[in-house]
């Protein structure tokens, strides 16, 4: 089976689960490889109280033995500590005193269409799965992909370059993405970090919330991941879909982004040079992708996140039981989750790159993949 993953789990259920399939045998994999990214996802100025309750830790249930993958699906479980407070409300078994149904759908959420589509009369049945808590399992899967890519010198970083009205130049965020972990908002600049935090505080004070923009940068990809031959194989499209699938992401672009539409061609293409007898590029304005394939330059993909929908100043809705105007249901909420979304963006990019990497170099075991990778680099002179 191709490299990829599925997740299961409800936000306040017993656990989040990820099953990663198509993982080659012989990849070194430890719980700490996963836990590191789970912790990075939980950080970030502007998160709500939930992150204080959860301290995510992975448990391997299959696919790993004595620190190495077996070639079988890697099954991972991350317990929801908060479940202890929700055992009655979220128990998989019938309970004696069922909780009151929630019938006040929140604008900007899956609530209303989800209730209509799945014939639910309690919006808890929708929000528990549509919540971004599910991205915990995605980050666990992404950490497996990151470990695989790391074996071939491919790194994936992210940085935040906008929170609400406070922006930082995108090209500097790309350049310094590897330093973003030091910032509470994942912005590599200490002064802008403080301004972004103040922006979040101001929104929270106004009982409102903020979105923003982040960039994911993958360095070290060989040329030729993805393909121009079939639309389903085009790597830019696959990366865009993966990042767009993250909750609240409303736009994705590459390299210079939509700004390239206003420029002349000579200011957009990346000229091909010979440097010491090797092929090189004069720039990386297109974000490392041409013709649906990596071209050997860093892959640069940016995303715009909408503001968090659940705000203290509750928005107008309709009570679906009484069919009367009302104010939206409020669940404990973040006031800004752009830094966390950037870490989730890294995970989704890593998964797509790992999938494309294994398509190109085989996927049974690390020894054969390494041999295939080195033969390819030798042939193209890299
Ligand atoms: C890391 C992260 C945390 C989020 N936290 C919240 C939150 O606390 N409250 C909220 O209303 N939305 C939150 N969201 C956004 C919602 O999950 C998202 O807007 C909702 O599921 C509807 O999906 P859509 O915006 O993609 O249409 C978060 C998103 C991410 C990526």
């Amino acid at each position: 089976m191709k490299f990829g993953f599925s997740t299961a789990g409800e936000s306040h259920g017993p656990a989040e689960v990820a099953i990663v399939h198509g993982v080659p045998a012989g990849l070194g994999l430890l719980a700490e490889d996963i836990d590191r990214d789970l912790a990075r996802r939980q950080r970030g100025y502007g998160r709500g109280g939930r992150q204080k309750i959860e301290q995510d830790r992975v448990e391997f249930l299959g696919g790993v033995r004595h620190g190495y993958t077996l070639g079988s699906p890697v099954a991972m479980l991350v317990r929801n500590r908060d479940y202890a407070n929700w055992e009655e409300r979220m128990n998989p078994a019938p309970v004696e005193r069922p909780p009151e149904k929630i019938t006040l759908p929140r604008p900007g959420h899956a609530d209303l269409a989800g209730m209509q589509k799945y014939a639910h009369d309690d919006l808890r049945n929708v929000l528990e799965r549509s919540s971004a808590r599910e991205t915990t399992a995605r980050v666990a899967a992404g950490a497996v992909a990151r470990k695989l890519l790391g074996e071939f010198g491919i790194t994936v970083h992210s940085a935040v370059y906008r929170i609400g009205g406070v922006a930082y130049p995108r090209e500097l965020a790309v350049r310094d993405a590897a330093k973003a972990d030091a910032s509470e908002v994942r912005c590599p600049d200490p002064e802008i970090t403080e301004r972004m935090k103040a922006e979040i505080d101001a929104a929270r004070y106004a009982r409102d919330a903020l979105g923003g923009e982040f960039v994911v940068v993958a360095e070290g990809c060989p040329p030729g991941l993805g393909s121009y031959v079939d639309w389903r194989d085009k790597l830019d499209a696959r990366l865009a879909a993966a990042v767009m699938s993250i909750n609240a992401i409303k736009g994705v672009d590459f390299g210079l982004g939509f700004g390239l539409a206003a420029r002349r061609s000579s200011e957009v293409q990346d000229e091909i040079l010979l440097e010491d007898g090797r092929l090189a590029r004069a720039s990386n304005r297109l974000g490392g992708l041409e013709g649906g394939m990596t071209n050997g330059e860093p892959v640069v993909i940016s995303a715009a996140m909408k503001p968090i929908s659940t705000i203290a100043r509750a928005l107008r809705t309709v009570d679906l039981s009484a069919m009367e105007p009302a104010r939206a249901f409020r669940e404990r909420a973040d006031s800004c989750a752009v830094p966390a979304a950037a870490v989730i963006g890294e995970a989704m990019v890593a998964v797509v790159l790992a999938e494309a990497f294994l398509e190109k170099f085989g996927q049974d075991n690390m020894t054969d993949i390494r041999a295939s990778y080195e033969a390819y680099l030798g042939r193209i002179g890299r």
Side-chain angles (χ1 to χ4, degrees):
M1 201 181 199
K2 254 172 91 148
F3 183 88
F5 71 96
S6 295
T7 71
E10 274 66 46
S11 180
H12 300 94
E16 299 296 328
V17 176
I19 298 189
V20 189
H21 46 79
V23 183
L27 173 69
L29 191 63
L30 301 173
E32 63 210 49
D33 295 323
I34 315 294
D35 289 345
R36 174 181 158 273
D37 279 348
L38 293 178
R40 291 173 66 243
R41 177 193 165 281
Q42 290 196 278
R43 284 203 285 268
Y45 199 77
R47 303 303 301 278
R50 180 78 191 269
Q51 305 314 316
K52 293 192 183 77
I53 299 172
E54 304 297 345
Q55 278 161 15
D56 294 335
R57 296 261 186 283
V58 78
E59 293 168 43
F60 288 120
L61 302 181
V64 189
R65 179 168 182 247
H66 299 163
Y68 286 89
T69 56
L70 296 170
S72 48
V74 174
M76 295 178 285
L77 178 136
V78 179
R79 288 183 199 280
N80 290 323
R81 288 196 182 189
D82 211 7
Y83 180 61
N85 307 315
W86 287 76
E87 258 197 272
E88 181 128 66
R89 281 171 289 176
M90 286 305 294
N91 205 306
V95 291
E96 259 176 42
R97 286 176 291 120
E100 207 177 308
K101 289 180 178 155
I102 307 167
T103 55
L104 304 169
R106 299 159 304 166
H109 275 278
D111 300 359
L112 180 54
M115 289 172 85
Q116 291 169 328
K117 177 176 170 69
Y118 291 101
H120 288 310
D121 60 357
D122 180 356
L123 83 82
R124 167 107 11 239
N125 290 336
V126 177
L127 77 84
E128 282 291 329
R129 178 64 181 166
S130 67
S131 152
R133 177 74 185 149
E134 181 263 348
T135 60
T136 304
R138 297 202 210 186
V139 168
V144 177
R146 185 198 296 279
K147 192 73 201 296
L148 173 86
L149 296 170
E151 295 289 318
F152 301 94
I154 301 170
T155 58
V156 184
H157 296 290
S158 69
V160 170
Y161 62 90
R162 169 182 294 282
I163 286 186
V166 180
Y168 182 62
R170 170 156 43 178
E171 59 278 13
L172 298 183
V174 171
R175 189 192 68 189
D176 293 333
K179 299 181 191 158
D181 270 354
S183 161
E184 282 179 272
V185 288
R186 300 198 64 73
C187 176
D189 184 284
E191 198 191 312
I192 306 288
T193 292
E194 290 311 311
R195 284 179 48 203
M196 286 177 168
K197 285 165 62 182
E199 180 88 343
I200 294 168
D201 288 342
R204 193 185 297 161
Y205 184 73
R207 304 165 75 221
D208 219 319
L210 290 174
E213 293 176 66
F214 65 83
V215 65
V216 178
V217 184
E219 292 189 68
C221 296
L225 302 185
S227 175
Y228 61 91
V229 169
D230 189 281
W231 66 271
R232 282 158 287 222
D233 292 335
K234 293 200 175 214
L235 195 66
D236 44 4
R238 290 156 68 183
L239 286 166
V243 175
M244 277 296 282
S245 76
I246 301 169
N247 308 43
I249 300 304
K250 293 294 143 192
V252 171
D253 65 19
F254 295 91
L256 292 179
F258 289 172
L260 59 74
R263 300 191 185 203
R264 293 193 170 172
S265 181
S266 56
E267 300 168 341
V268 169
Q269 317 307 335
D270 301 309
E271 290 179 300
I272 303 169
L273 311 177
L274 255 187
E275 277 176 3
D276 301 328
R278 283 175 183 268
L279 294 167
R281 296 296 180 126
S283 53
N284 184 25
R285 295 150 170 170
L286 292 175
L289 293 154
E290 289 169 312
M293 295 172 294
T294 51
N295 63 9
E297 294 299 306
V299 171
V300 179
I301 176 165
S302 303
M305 182 178 190
K306 80 180 187 189
I308 297 289
S309 312
T310 309
I311 53 178
R313 174 210 285 221
L315 300 171
R316 284 183 298 170
T317 189
V318 169
D319 182 338
L320 297 180
S321 61
M323 285 310 270
E324 278 172 4
R327 292 283 163 177
F329 172 68
R330 279 211 71 237
E331 186 95 315
R332 182 177 45 208
D334 301 323
S335 44
C336 177
V338 184
V343 175
I344 301 157
E346 290 175 28
M348 295 308 291
V349 166
V351 165
V352 173
L353 290 178
E355 179 193 57
F357 190 92
L358 297 176
E359 274 163 20
K360 174 95 187 83
F361 300 111
Q363 72 172 63
D364 293 341
N365 68 79
M366 293 301 285
T367 309
D368 293 353
I369 295 166
R370 223 169 250 125
S372 162
Y373 175 70
E374 274 156 23
Y376 176 67
L377 291 194
R379 179 171 67 73
I380 64 170
R382 270 178 84 100

